[in-house]
Amino acid sequence: MARVTDNGISGAIGNIVFYTMNGKRYVRAKPGKRKKKRGQPANPLNAVFGTVSKYGSAMVKAMNGHFLFPLKREMYNRLRGWMRNQYAEHKDEEIWELSGRNSGMCQVNGEIDLRDFLRTDITVNDSGNAKITVLIPEINPKKDIKVPLRTMKVNIKLIAVTSPFRNAPTTYSLCTNQYSFIFNNDPVPARSFELQTQAGKGDIAIVALAVEFETSASYPAYNKDTRWLPAAVISMGRLK
């Protein structure tokens, strides 16, 4: 918007800009939007963002309803941002292995950190033939798990989502597995869980883990206070 001063017009009128420089008055055309030059290559980061936004969003959406809390916008954005970073780093690698839980995990419930509630290492492996294996070592519930008051049982839930990252975004697959145990001092033996997906060779996979608590106050229903609903995507990779 232009304004009239003692020195004349200052500002923009339509596509014309009036301005003063070194005590002199000038007029110039307002700059338009910069156009990409013909033949100039596209920014590869934009391509990565578009790919993950298209296919990763569908994978995240597929998990909605499998946690004890709904996925909100900030959760979608956090998960897709993490997936974008992983994909940008590994997409050109011939082998992109699924790995175990590490500092690069992404919290689904951003209010809390899964590692504060389940203090043990977890191994995720691609077993071939679209099968993902998750190994959870022996657990001493009262030592290795942080729980709310009056907890009676603990449930560990595993979710795997895969996508070919091509064609229609809805061409994903999802499978789950879970197990429960009494919260006491009795050791829970190490267990290996199989997640048999419907994926094809080269499909992208993510694995999520959630810990849920049954308390004496709500038994047999689960505690649904989000302060006690840890969940995170613990692995991402390309299936063999």
PDB file of all heavy atoms in Angstrom, residues 12 41 61 72 92 103-104 107 142 175 188 213 238:
ATOM      1  N   ALA A  12       3.731   1.114  -2.770  1.00  0.00           N
ATOM      2  CA  ALA A  12       3.341   0.447  -4.018  1.00  0.00           C
ATOM      3  C   ALA A  12       1.929   0.796  -4.416  1.00  0.00           C
ATOM      4  O   ALA A  12       1.025   0.888  -3.581  1.00  0.00           O
ATOM      5  CB  ALA A  12       3.477  -1.066  -3.863  1.00  0.00           C
ATOM      6  N   PRO A  41      17.180 -28.476 -12.570  1.00  0.00           N
ATOM      7  CA  PRO A  41      16.709 -29.678 -11.885  1.00  0.00           C
ATOM      8  C   PRO A  41      15.895 -29.327 -10.645  1.00  0.00           C
ATOM      9  O   PRO A  41      16.119 -28.304  -9.996  1.00  0.00           O
ATOM     10  CB  PRO A  41      18.014 -30.394 -11.496  1.00  0.00           C
ATOM     11  CG  PRO A  41      19.035 -29.310 -11.437  1.00  0.00           C
ATOM     12  CD  PRO A  41      18.649 -28.332 -12.507  1.00  0.00           C
ATOM     13  N   LYS A  61      -1.712 -43.011   9.022  1.00  0.00           N
ATOM     14  CA  LYS A  61      -3.170 -43.070   9.176  1.00  0.00           C
ATOM     15  C   LYS A  61      -3.637 -44.491   9.445  1.00  0.00           C
ATOM     16  O   LYS A  61      -4.595 -44.710  10.202  1.00  0.00           O
ATOM     17  CB  LYS A  61      -3.851 -42.516   7.923  1.00  0.00           C
ATOM     18  CG  LYS A  61      -5.366 -42.421   8.029  1.00  0.00           C
ATOM     19  CD  LYS A  61      -5.961 -41.789   6.780  1.00  0.00           C
ATOM     20  CE  LYS A  61      -7.474 -41.683   6.903  1.00  0.00           C
ATOM     21  NZ  LYS A  61      -8.066 -41.063   5.679  1.00  0.00           N
ATOM     22  N   LYS A  72      -3.374 -37.265  16.599  1.00  0.00           N
ATOM     23  CA  LYS A  72      -3.694 -35.871  16.345  1.00  0.00           C
ATOM     24  C   LYS A  72      -2.732 -35.295  15.303  1.00  0.00           C
ATOM     25  O   LYS A  72      -1.761 -35.922  14.926  1.00  0.00           O
ATOM     26  CB  LYS A  72      -3.629 -35.074  17.643  1.00  0.00           C
ATOM     27  CG  LYS A  72      -4.625 -35.552  18.689  1.00  0.00           C
ATOM     28  CD  LYS A  72      -4.524 -34.749  19.970  1.00  0.00           C
ATOM     29  CE  LYS A  72      -5.520 -35.224  21.012  1.00  0.00           C
ATOM     30  NZ  LYS A  72      -5.421 -34.452  22.271  1.00  0.00           N
ATOM     31  N   ASP A  92      18.644 -44.165  -1.083  1.00  0.00           N
ATOM     32  CA  ASP A  92      19.511 -44.582  -2.185  1.00  0.00           C
ATOM     33  C   ASP A  92      20.438 -45.744  -1.818  1.00  0.00           C
ATOM     34  O   ASP A  92      21.227 -46.195  -2.646  1.00  0.00           O
ATOM     35  CB  ASP A  92      20.358 -43.394  -2.665  1.00  0.00           C
ATOM     36  CG  ASP A  92      19.495 -42.286  -3.258  1.00  0.00           C
ATOM     37  OD1 ASP A  92      18.482 -42.616  -3.914  1.00  0.00           O
ATOM     38  OD2 ASP A  92      19.821 -41.099  -3.060  1.00  0.00           O
ATOM     39  N   SER A 103      18.336 -44.214  19.664  1.00  0.00           N
ATOM     40  CA  SER A 103      18.037 -42.810  19.949  1.00  0.00           C
ATOM     41  C   SER A 103      17.269 -42.145  18.822  1.00  0.00           C
ATOM     42  O   SER A 103      16.728 -41.061  18.992  1.00  0.00           O
ATOM     43  CB  SER A 103      19.339 -42.044  20.209  1.00  0.00           C
ATOM     44  OG  SER A 103      20.192 -42.122  19.073  1.00  0.00           O
ATOM     45  N   GLY A 104      17.203 -42.791  17.662  1.00  0.00           N
ATOM     46  CA  GLY A 104      16.503 -42.206  16.536  1.00  0.00           C
ATOM     47  C   GLY A 104      15.042 -42.580  16.456  1.00  0.00           C
ATOM     48  O   GLY A 104      14.386 -42.273  15.476  1.00  0.00           O
ATOM     49  N   GLN A 107       8.702 -40.768  18.928  1.00  0.00           N
ATOM     50  CA  GLN A 107       7.603 -40.928  19.862  1.00  0.00           C
ATOM     51  C   GLN A 107       6.268 -40.617  19.173  1.00  0.00           C
ATOM     52  O   GLN A 107       6.111 -39.557  18.575  1.00  0.00           O
ATOM     53  CB  GLN A 107       7.785 -39.997  21.071  1.00  0.00           C
ATOM     54  CG  GLN A 107       9.103 -40.160  21.796  1.00  0.00           C
ATOM     55  CD  GLN A 107       9.339 -41.566  22.308  1.00  0.00           C
ATOM     56  OE1 GLN A 107       8.416 -42.221  22.805  1.00  0.00           O
ATOM     57  NE2 GLN A 107      10.574 -42.038  22.189  1.00  0.00           N
ATOM     58  N   LYS A 142       8.766 -55.291  37.683  1.00  0.00           N
ATOM     59  CA  LYS A 142       8.891 -54.229  38.687  1.00  0.00           C
ATOM     60  C   LYS A 142      10.198 -53.461  38.562  1.00  0.00           C
ATOM     61  O   LYS A 142      10.313 -52.329  39.022  1.00  0.00           O
ATOM     62  CB  LYS A 142       8.757 -54.821  40.093  1.00  0.00           C
ATOM     63  CG  LYS A 142       7.367 -55.352  40.388  1.00  0.00           C
ATOM     64  CD  LYS A 142       6.916 -54.969  41.784  1.00  0.00           C
ATOM     65  CE  LYS A 142       5.430 -55.278  41.956  1.00  0.00           C
ATOM     66  NZ  LYS A 142       4.973 -54.968  43.326  1.00  0.00           N
ATOM     67  N   CYS A 175      -0.168 -55.232  10.196  1.00  0.00           N
ATOM     68  CA  CYS A 175      -0.390 -56.402  11.043  1.00  0.00           C
ATOM     69  C   CYS A 175       0.041 -56.058  12.464  1.00  0.00           C
ATOM     70  O   CYS A 175       0.868 -55.157  12.681  1.00  0.00           O
ATOM     71  CB  CYS A 175       0.345 -57.625  10.524  1.00  0.00           C
ATOM     72  SG  CYS A 175       2.122 -57.432  10.363  1.00  0.00           S
ATOM     73  N   VAL A 188       9.582 -62.222  33.242  1.00  0.00           N
ATOM     74  CA  VAL A 188       8.844 -62.594  32.031  1.00  0.00           C
ATOM     75  C   VAL A 188       9.880 -63.063  31.018  1.00  0.00           C
ATOM     76  O   VAL A 188      10.761 -62.294  30.629  1.00  0.00           O
ATOM     77  CB  VAL A 188       8.045 -61.401  31.476  1.00  0.00           C
ATOM     78  CG1 VAL A 188       7.312 -61.797  30.206  1.00  0.00           C
ATOM     79  CG2 VAL A 188       7.065 -60.883  32.528  1.00  0.00           C
ATOM     80  N   PHE A 213      -1.472 -50.284  30.218  1.00  0.00           N
ATOM     81  CA  PHE A 213      -1.563 -50.726  31.608  1.00  0.00           C
ATOM     82  C   PHE A 213      -3.013 -50.972  32.020  1.00  0.00           C
ATOM     83  O   PHE A 213      -3.888 -50.142  31.773  1.00  0.00           O
ATOM     84  CB  PHE A 213      -0.952 -49.683  32.550  1.00  0.00           C
ATOM     85  CG  PHE A 213       0.457 -49.300  32.176  1.00  0.00           C
ATOM     86  CD1 PHE A 213       0.725 -48.079  31.574  1.00  0.00           C
ATOM     87  CD2 PHE A 213       1.519 -50.156  32.410  1.00  0.00           C
ATOM     88  CE1 PHE A 213       2.021 -47.705  31.234  1.00  0.00           C
ATOM     89  CE2 PHE A 213       2.817 -49.803  32.068  1.00  0.00           C
ATOM     90  CZ  PHE A 213       3.064 -48.582  31.482  1.00  0.00           C
ATOM     91  N   ARG A 238      13.844 -50.958   4.585  1.00  0.00           N
ATOM     92  CA  ARG A 238      13.337 -51.533   3.333  1.00  0.00           C
ATOM     93  C   ARG A 238      13.430 -53.064   3.429  1.00  0.00           C
ATOM     94  O   ARG A 238      14.489 -53.599   3.757  1.00  0.00           O
ATOM     95  CB  ARG A 238      14.143 -51.020   2.143  1.00  0.00           C
ATOM     96  CG  ARG A 238      13.632 -51.542   0.788  1.00  0.00           C
ATOM     97  CD  ARG A 238      14.490 -51.051  -0.356  1.00  0.00           C
ATOM     98  NE  ARG A 238      14.408 -49.616  -0.557  1.00  0.00           N
ATOM     99  CZ  ARG A 238      15.374 -48.755  -0.303  1.00  0.00           C
ATOM    100  NH1 ARG A 238      16.539 -49.185   0.172  1.00  0.00           N
ATOM    101  NH2 ARG A 238      15.220 -47.466  -0.516  1.00  0.00           N
TER     102      ARG A 238
END
